[in-house]
Amino acid sequence: MRIIFWLVFASTLIYASFFTEKDRLDREVKRLCAIDGGIKVYETAKLPAERFTQFGSISIPYKEIAKPEDEYYYESYTDYLIRGNPELVKYRYLVYRQFDRKLLGEITHYARRGGGVPGPWHMPAFRCPEETDANLNKLIFTK
C-alpha cells in the first residue's frame, strides 16, 4: 500500500511540474506574439489570374531552389528559444522579390511544443498567431 501511495504521489508531482512549465511557456508565447508576432506586409504585387490556383493561392519557391526566372521566393527560419520538453520556438517566413531582393512581407510565429504527459500520442502544442504563410501570400499577391 505504501508503494502505491508513493507512486501516485511521485506521478502527481511529475504531472504538475509538466503543466506548470507548459502554462508558463504558453504565457511567454502570448507575450512574444504581442511584441512582434503576426503578419507584416511592406509591399503588394499584382499578378495575372493564371498564377493563382483555383483556391486563390500562389506557389512561391524556396530561396535555395528558386530559378533566376522566378519573380519571387521565400526564406524561412526556425529559432529554438528554449530546447527540451516543452520547448519554445520562433518561426519566420519572409517573401522577397527576386530582381531587387526587396522584402515584400513576413510572418512571425511563436510556439510551445510539448509539455504534456509523455506517450506515443501527438505532442501537444500552442501557437500564436493563427494566420499562416498562405494568409501572408494572399495579402501580398493580388489578381
Side-chain angles (χ1 to χ4, degrees), residues 6 8 13 18 24 28 44 51 55 68 87 100 105 117 121 143:
W6 286 111
V8 169
L13 213 68
F18 273 119
R24 185 185 74 77
E28 184 66 6
T44 60
R51 290 286 308 269
F55 304 108
E87 61 187 8
D100 62 356
V117 177
W121 42 82
K143 293 182 187 179

Side-chain angles (χ1 to χ4, degrees), residues 47 51-53 57-61 70 72 74 93 137 141:
L47 297 177
R51 290 286 308 269
F52 293 84
T53 67
S57 63
I58 182 171
S59 178
I60 302 171
D70 288 326
Y72 305 97
Y74 77 91
Y93 175 88
N137 289 344
F141 300 107

Side-chain angles (χ1 to χ4, degrees), residues 71-99:
E71 294 178 84
Y72 305 97
Y73 66 88
Y74 77 91
E75 291 181 319
S76 63
Y77 302 97
T78 302
D79 297 321
Y80 292 88
L81 305 175
I82 297 175
R83 287 195 182 262
N85 184 17
E87 61 187 8
L88 181 62
V89 184
K90 177 181 182 179
Y91 301 102
R92 291 185 69 214
Y93 175 88
L94 303 101
V95 176
Y96 291 90
R97 186 171 43 224
Q98 177 91 282
F99 81 88

Side-chain angles (χ1 to χ4, degrees), residues 21-52:
E21 182 66 5
K22 183 180 115 179
D23 292 338
R24 185 185 74 77
L25 288 182
D26 285 354
R27 289 189 301 274
E28 184 66 6
V29 165
K30 290 177 187 175
R31 186 186 75 77
L32 292 170
C33 195
I35 293 170
D36 74 339
I39 292 178
K40 295 176 185 85
V41 176
Y42 306 112
E43 188 175 316
T44 60
K46 191 169 177 93
L47 297 177
E50 58 268 6
R51 290 286 308 269
F52 293 84

Side-chain angles (χ1 to χ4, degrees), residues 113-114 116-125:
R113 298 189 313 191
V117 177
W121 42 82
H122 185 69
M123 183 182 345

